[in-house]
Amino acid sequence: MDFKTEFKPYTIQPQKIEGRSFEIIDEEIGSHSYTAEQYPIVQRVIHSSADFELGKSLRFHLDAIQAGIHAIKTGKKIVTDIKMVSVGINKRRIEKFGCTIHEYITDEEVVKEARALNVTRSIIAMRKGIKEAEGGIFAIGNAPTALLELIRLIKQGAPKPGLIIGFPVGFVSATESKEELMKLDIPFITNKGRKGGSTVAVAAVNAIAIMAERVE
Amino acid sequence: MDFKTEFKPYTIQPQKIEGRSFEIIDEEIGSHSYTAEQYPIVQRVIHSSADFELGKSLRFHLDAIQAGIHAIKTGKKIVTDIKMVSVGINKRRIEKFGCTIHEYITDEEVVKEARALNVTRSIIAMRKGIKEAEGGIFAIGNAPTALLELIRLIKQGAPKPGLIIGFPVGFVSATESKEELMKLDIPFITNKGRKGGSTVAVAAVNAIAIMAERVE
């Protein structure tokens, strides 16, 4: 059987799906106090999760959006904690600004050092990232330990990221790591509670990249 | 400053975090009617999303777990719709059975054909997948169009997958595509409603791989 010849065209077009999805989100989100600048991030997080509770749990440092746009427009590095976040980021959108994506967790040097120090690779990966990506965007979608280490390094005077997108998910330390992030006076996007994850971190990075494209 | 020398050991160990997380899930999940065989999948989905509502929306074909374990133990292909799903699957766990992961969406032939036919790449990718992965596991974490195409091909008599893990997420067609999947008499794992996504699909595949490891 040749499936190619039996094609019945679908009426659903990806752009139309996205547009209609955003309309539904606008209709259903109800009251909120996000600014016009913050709302596109909330909207894209809800789009990627179909979860309004998660979307409305987002919290922004006042400078977060501008700092994120600036980091992208000036071609800064984007550092992630896991490959799922790295591959979800729309490369076409950020490459034209000169941005590159790095997850150091599989870096040979990092693997070696983690083994030698007997700590998780996500911790050592953050230590390498912070030295190599001053002013960049750190997008954490999985590991509370990565975010906690990043916070610790910043408190100790490490070179500052431009924006921290912190969405560890889970039952142990995730909520706490995000609460710690909210205490920092450094641009961040995060959320209250246990939910989060790589799709959320990806949605936030991609939403900011779209804004960077549109800003003069 | 040398961050390496300033290390304060964290007390959190990844295995302990996972164990404690599973305990919390057991404590908080409340009543449900999942079998002992299905529950580890539900548990891992909740672990990866911190979302009990999502976990409890899971639906299983009666043969799903056994079919999934069989597909892994016999080294069948795992076909995904997007790279985020592919990279989230624990390769070490499945490679020892001879399983390989394929997402045809970036396949040159697929890209070319999608352009020629003016349809989405995810549709053409499923057509290629179904021909090349009989008896394999199809893990869909994103595109309703991919799942709908897969269902259409199966109804037309295409070679049958061993298991379909269907978790499209979103506001347009996602729910409907999963309802269609539930009507098929073929092993599936899916959920009711809009939620889903690549982390959920990944959690389900990894949970089954762990079960395959443990089964004689």
Side-chain angles (χ1 to χ4, degrees), chain B:
Chain B
M1 185 187 309
D2 185 0
F3 299 111
K4 290 177 197 174
T5 59
E6 291 170 23
F7 175 69
K8 284 185 246 164
Y10 277 85
T11 51
I12 319 164
Q13 292 299 321
Q15 280 76 19
K16 283 195 189 158
I17 291 180
E18 193 172 284
R20 179 65 196 125
S21 300
F22 284 1
E23 281 171 20
I24 295 172
I25 294 166
D26 292 346
E27 285 160 25
E28 295 189 20
I29 191 166
S31 69
H32 66 80
S33 53
Y34 295 110
T35 67
E37 197 182 55
Q38 295 163 347
Y39 183 66
I41 318 278
V42 174
Q43 197 182 34
R44 194 158 285 270
V45 166
I46 296 171
H47 177 249
S48 74
S49 62
D51 189 341
F52 286 94
E53 185 192 85
L54 170 57
K56 290 171 99 167
S57 72
L58 259 61
R59 295 294 179 270
F60 297 85
H61 182 276
L62 277 178
D63 302 330
I65 310 295
Q66 286 310 318
I69 292 173
H70 178 79
I72 287 178
K73 292 195 73 140
T74 54
K76 296 288 188 298
K77 286 183 180 162
I78 300 177
V79 178
T80 72
D81 60 335
I82 53 168
K83 209 169 169 79
M84 275 187 80
V85 176
S86 297
V87 303
I89 296 169
N90 188 322
K91 282 190 190 49
R92 193 184 42 75
R93 258 197 192 110
I94 56 155
E95 274 170 357
K96 64 184 168 214
F97 297 111
C99 298
T100 47
I101 303 168
H102 306 263
E103 95 272 323
Y104 294 104
I105 196 151
T106 51
D107 184 290
E108 215 173 284
E109 209 180 288
V110 168
V111 173
K112 232 185 262 174
E113 194 174 324
R115 205 172 287 149
L117 293 173
N118 194 28
V119 293
T120 64
R121 284 189 292 149
S122 58
I123 287 177
I124 307 298
M126 283 300 124
R127 291 187 203 172
K128 181 156 187 170
I130 207 152
K131 279 187 280 189
E132 300 202 352
E134 185 166 359
I137 297 178
F138 282 67
I140 314 288
N142 183 55
T145 50
L147 183 55
L148 287 168
E149 178 67 8
L150 192 57
I151 293 165
R152 190 184 73 83
L153 293 167
I154 290 165
K155 283 184 178 169
Q156 286 194 349
K160 283 199 179 149
L163 170 65
I164 300 176
I165 293 177
F167 288 108
V169 56
F171 296 89
V172 178
S173 303
T175 303
E176 295 78 0
S177 69
K178 293 181 281 190
E179 291 293 332
E180 286 304 310
L181 176 58
M182 287 181 225
K183 290 179 194 161
L184 291 188
D185 185 21
I186 184 172
F188 64 74
I189 303 175
T190 186
N191 76 316
K192 301 281 283 182
R194 292 165 164 178
K195 290 181 181 176
S198 25
T199 46
V200 183
V202 164
V205 175
N206 286 337
I208 287 178
I210 291 169
M211 293 164 101
E213 271 181 337
R214 289 177 187 167
V215 168
E216 280 302 303

